Amino acid sequence: MDLLLFSLNKEDITPLYEQLYEGIKDAIIQKKINVGEKLPSKRKLSDFLNISQTTIELAYAQLLAEGYISAKARVGYFVEDLDELPYVEKHTILPKTPTQKPTYTYDFNPSGIDIEHFPFSTWRKYARDLYDTAHADLLLTGEAQGEFALRQEIATYLYQSRGVECSPEQIVIGSGTEQLLPMLIRLFEEATVFALEHPGYPSVDRILRQHGRSVFPINVDDEGIIVNELEKSNADVVYVTPSHQFPTGAILSATRRTQLLNWAAASPTRYIIEDDYDSEFRYTGKPIPALQALNGKDKVIYMSTFTKSLMPSLRLAYFVLPPSLLAIYQRVFTYYTSTVPRFDQHIVANFMRDGHFSKHLNRMRKIYRKKHNALIDAFTHYPQVRITGSQAGMHILLALEGNEQQLWQSAKTQGIGVYPLSQYLLQPAHYADARFLIGFGQLYDINQAVDALMKVWQLKKITPHSL
Ligand SMILES: Cc1ncc(COP(=O)(O)O)c(C=O)c1O
């Protein structure tokens, strides 16, 4: 065969042998070199390309190891028949740079949390104590439902803060609500219809559909899910966020709570999944007990997460099963191990045991309340916008006149992240105005952020002087 012509770049950070290997491999894959053809000898190719024989030796060795060529002793290297070789086409190789999320000057992301006040030194102390030979047993797999010590802490915390009565045996720990949901789904018959709040948490809808389950959207108003609609559906399981409806921020009214529990009590196959994802942060009025605590012990699967209260990256959430579902769970999931690292579980358990979790929550509640009030105050200077869902959690809902898509895009191009309500709809719905989720957890300069957004949207600031 002719000598191989490759353009090798000596300045490139990719080593020469790798460039040569890639070049020959591509030529073989694209059939530019025929099966059975002999590759040039190392000496000849080294003279021709003006590179060392060692470089060529390395490239040939790699091709040989991967089966692109074969070697005949004292004769040379020959191209193999690719049809018999499994190989990966170049275009299927993953890009070397990870996909970048958009970066904003001001990001009103409802999933953002404050990262300036995390108690790193305390956390580090617990981590250091645990990563020690004294705890070598934590290198082995633990209990499937999660570490007993953590389940015990969660049970105590739930009783004290949410009125939820349960034993550690009823708790299952997993790496996030998203990972726990597919498990929950499997506790119900294939034909079970799941009712979801509309608008609602999009992950739930996606997960259910991915698992081939039937989904029935139920509208939400300013009292939360409209239970009359649920009663007319053929759903057996309903997924709700009663303490702070996601994304509208509505709090389920007392009447609806009773109505919802009565709906569930009317049939042995009916259940309520109560997602209490951000109940720790409530800014007005008394804390509202969980549904599970209101006579719902046998009918409510209570779910919560440490995503808002500690950090989303920890990937730690849990559900509490009513006794009637516990036996099914134990039968279906006997052979699963926990998805959360044992060390992390014990860090959290010890952190809770010694009172640091309550201390952290009290501190964060003050910080988020300040941010929340600053956000509401900042928007009061703009009478063109309307705020709802502002009693709890880490986001509010903002409504204003205009085209939602255009307003979203104009904010985006000016480096401001806002989150249109339309992204949380389970089915098309018509609103007369534009609506956005406005998160404040990860914002530190709220007045500037609000003024910047309002400027982009060309809304005039009304100050006491200009009134
Ligand atoms: C309604 C709702 N549930 C649960 C979660 C938390 O999910 P995870 O535990 O998977 O982080 C969130 C996070 O934003 C949420 O909005």
Side-chain angles (χ1 to χ4, degrees), residues 289-314:
L291 271 182
Q292 199 268 11
L294 296 174
N295 207 12
K297 282 174 216 40
D298 292 328
K299 284 294 175 182
V300 177
I301 301 159
Y302 178 90
M303 280 190 106
S304 197
T305 176
F306 287 95
T307 280
K308 305 283 185 191
S309 54
L310 284 174
M311 62 189 107
S313 63
L314 186 61

Side-chain angles (χ1 to χ4, degrees), residues 412-467:
K412 210 172 186 174
T413 48
Q414 295 301 315
I416 303 178
V418 287
Y419 297 80
L421 183 66
S422 55
Q423 293 186 344
Y424 302 86
L425 297 176
L426 309 189
Q427 62 190 13
H430 176 73
Y431 297 106
D433 43 16
R435 297 182 189 185
F436 294 94
L437 272 75
I438 300 286
F440 53 86
Q442 68 181 46
L443 280 180
Y444 305 95
D445 32 18
I446 287 176
N447 280 319
Q448 288 99 308
V450 168
D451 286 346
L453 177 64
M454 297 292 98
K455 194 169 168 209
V456 171
W457 286 348
Q458 297 176 0
L459 299 180
K460 205 162 167 287
K461 188 170 189 169
I462 312 288
T463 57
H465 296 298
S466 55
L467 282 174

